[in-house]
Amino acid sequence: MEQVKGKVCVTGASGFLASWLIKRLLLSGYQVIGTVRDPENEKKLAHLWNLEGAKERLQLVKADLMEMGSFDDAIFGCHGVFHTASPVLRPSSDPKIEILEPAVEGTLNVLRSCKKNPCLKRVILTSSSSAVRVRDDFDPLVPLDESSWSSVEISERLQIWYALSKTLAENAAWEFCNKNGISLITILPAFVIGPSLPPELCSTASDVLGLLKGETEKFQWHGRMGYVHIDDVALSHILVYEHESAHGRYLCSSTVLELDELVSLLSARYPSLPIPKRFQQLNRPFYDFNTTKLKSLGFEFKPVEKMFDDCIASLKEQGHLAVD
């Protein structure tokens, strides 16, 4: 282990990505303050306390996205803040209250606490590739890059609430940080695949599990999609935090595949799994991602085979999946 590198805060610490990011930060020698809704929930947080270095350099504190000032204590004294917390659930009744408000207001609440912290050097916000690709005016022959933004109008019309929440939250973050002189970098991951540290699967991991078990409905809407290993997403957050010349937005995607390409690859690799062969054809535009900006910092992505191998091994180990 390297020497202690300083103190950083990770919001939404018990989440799928945040847990992996904390794992990597601890291994890199950081002191980590993680925010959670209930620090006393031993069952939900056990996987964090089991991480290497957690007993020595991890502290979990209470904070709520929708509670003004609740991040003040967690963030004060930290050199860096990684804001990963954001609702990803599919709305049951009112998407504005359940997804949009927590994403935008939650991000602004975190940033208001950042503004009060004189030690702060940089904020890393987890956005999403869905804040780039929901639009109808791009040239399919030109890969999408960080200059592309999803259309708010199209996201609303098609009720793509997650994309809308990420687009609005990232926009609000840039506006706030530019106005208040806060150094901000955003990471825009594609669909994140890999081992789940929390025993309770998030919606992303649940969707993948459903596909591997032969269900079609959750993955049906995917169509063409970018995929990235969860470890690559965590490592890219740390890379741009530490790299002095890093700036702006960074797309984080290993490969973009059509759904039939993905299921063909997985079926060949895991013939014992009842992976569906047929899906309803979605009329989605062809697109690709240009990730040159992240690669220019020396970053190398793991291949799609590795991310699904690691994901399936984890699902099997946690008892969610039986694989011959």
Side-chain angles (χ1 to χ4, degrees):
M1 192 207 70
E2 302 171 34
Q3 61 182 12
V4 176
K5 288 185 173 178
K7 187 159 74 163
V8 296
C9 176
V10 178
T11 67
S14 63
F16 179 46
L17 170 59
S19 297
W20 201 268
L21 176 57
I22 289 171
K23 173 182 176 173
R24 278 296 183 184
L25 286 165
L26 290 171
L27 288 172
S28 295
Y30 285 94
Q31 183 183 348
V32 181
I33 311 293
T35 71
V36 293
R37 272 181 272 186
D38 180 10
E40 306 303 315
N41 189 336
E42 292 178 19
K43 186 180 177 187
K44 191 174 182 180
L45 304 176
H47 67 281
L48 293 174
W49 292 119
N50 288 332
L51 294 173
E52 187 178 330
K55 303 280 189 294
E56 300 78 22
R57 285 175 286 108
L58 176 63
Q59 185 183 349
L60 297 178
V61 299
K62 182 179 174 66
D64 189 308
L65 280 177
M66 298 307 286
E67 195 178 311
M68 184 85 77
S70 72
F71 290 88
D72 286 1
D73 291 346
I75 285 172
F76 195 83
C78 289
H79 300 124
V81 173
F82 296 86
H83 179 41
T84 73
S86 188
V88 293
L89 38 137
R90 296 182 177 90
S92 55
S93 56
D94 188 339
K96 196 169 184 184
I97 291 173
E98 293 177 21
I99 292 187
L100 302 185
E101 282 182 17
V104 178
E105 280 308 310
T107 295
L108 290 174
N109 267 340
V110 169
L111 292 174
R112 287 182 192 111
S113 296
C114 289
K115 186 184 173 185
K116 299 173 189 174
N117 175 15
C119 304
L120 184 74
K121 292 179 181 173
R122 187 169 266 181
V123 176
I124 311 298
L125 171 73
T126 311
S127 185
S128 167
S129 65
S130 64
V132 159
R133 58 182 168 78
V134 182
R135 46 189 301 165
D136 59 7
D137 60 348
F138 61 85
D139 182 346
L141 298 178
V142 179
L144 295 168
D145 64 15
E146 289 81 5
S147 66
S148 171
W149 281 86
S150 287
S151 160
V152 169
E153 186 274 323
I154 294 172
S155 300
E156 280 182 333
R157 176 159 44 85
L158 300 179
Q159 300 188 352
I160 310 172
W161 303 119
Y162 180 70
L164 182 59
S165 74
K166 284 297 190 180
T167 304
L168 294 175
E170 192 189 345
N171 249 317
W174 281 116
E175 192 177 321
F176 184 93
C177 290
N178 289 336
K179 186 178 174 183
N180 291 284
I182 294 172
S183 173
L184 174 69
I185 294 177
T186 59
I187 295 282
L188 291 79
F191 195 82
V192 184
I193 302 288
S196 177
L197 294 175
E200 192 177 317
L201 298 181
C202 67
S203 60
T204 306
S206 296
D207 286 2
V208 174
L209 178 61
L211 178 75
L212 300 171
K213 284 184 164 182
E215 299 168 11
T216 58
E217 61 271 17
K218 287 182 181 175
F219 243 75
Q220 187 73 64
W221 51 272
H222 269 223
R224 187 167 179 80
M225 183 70 77
Y227 296 93
V228 64
H229 197 298
I230 191 167
D231 193 34
D232 285 347
V233 184
L235 290 171
S236 65
H237 277 68
I238 298 170
L239 175 66
V240 299
Y241 172 68
E242 294 180 344
H243 210 289
E244 279 189 33
S245 67
H247 65 282
R249 310 170 88 202
Y250 285 87
L251 266 169
C252 185
S253 174
S254 171
T255 187
V256 181
L257 295 171
E258 297 289 352
L259 185 51
D260 58 357
E261 291 179 292
L262 176 68
V263 297
S264 171
L265 181 153
L266 293 176
S267 297
R269 206 165 180 82
Y270 292 92
S272 68
L273 291 176
I275 297 163
K277 304 290 190 295
R278 293 184 178 279
F279 287 85
Q280 180 186 337
Q281 289 300 308
L282 293 173
N283 186 20
R284 291 274 178 85
F286 179 91
Y287 69 90
D288 216 331
F289 287 135
N290 177 351
T291 55
T292 307
K293 191 177 178 190
L294 192 55
K295 289 174 181 172
S296 72
L297 300 181
F299 198 80
E300 292 180 19
F301 289 101
K302 297 173 185 63
V304 67
E305 292 85 357
K306 169 72 173 164
M307 61 184 89
F308 276 96
D309 285 352
D310 289 353
C311 173
I312 289 168
S314 168
L315 290 169
K316 183 180 177 183
E317 189 182 325
Q318 291 187 338
H320 298 295
L321 189 68
V323 185
D324 295 339

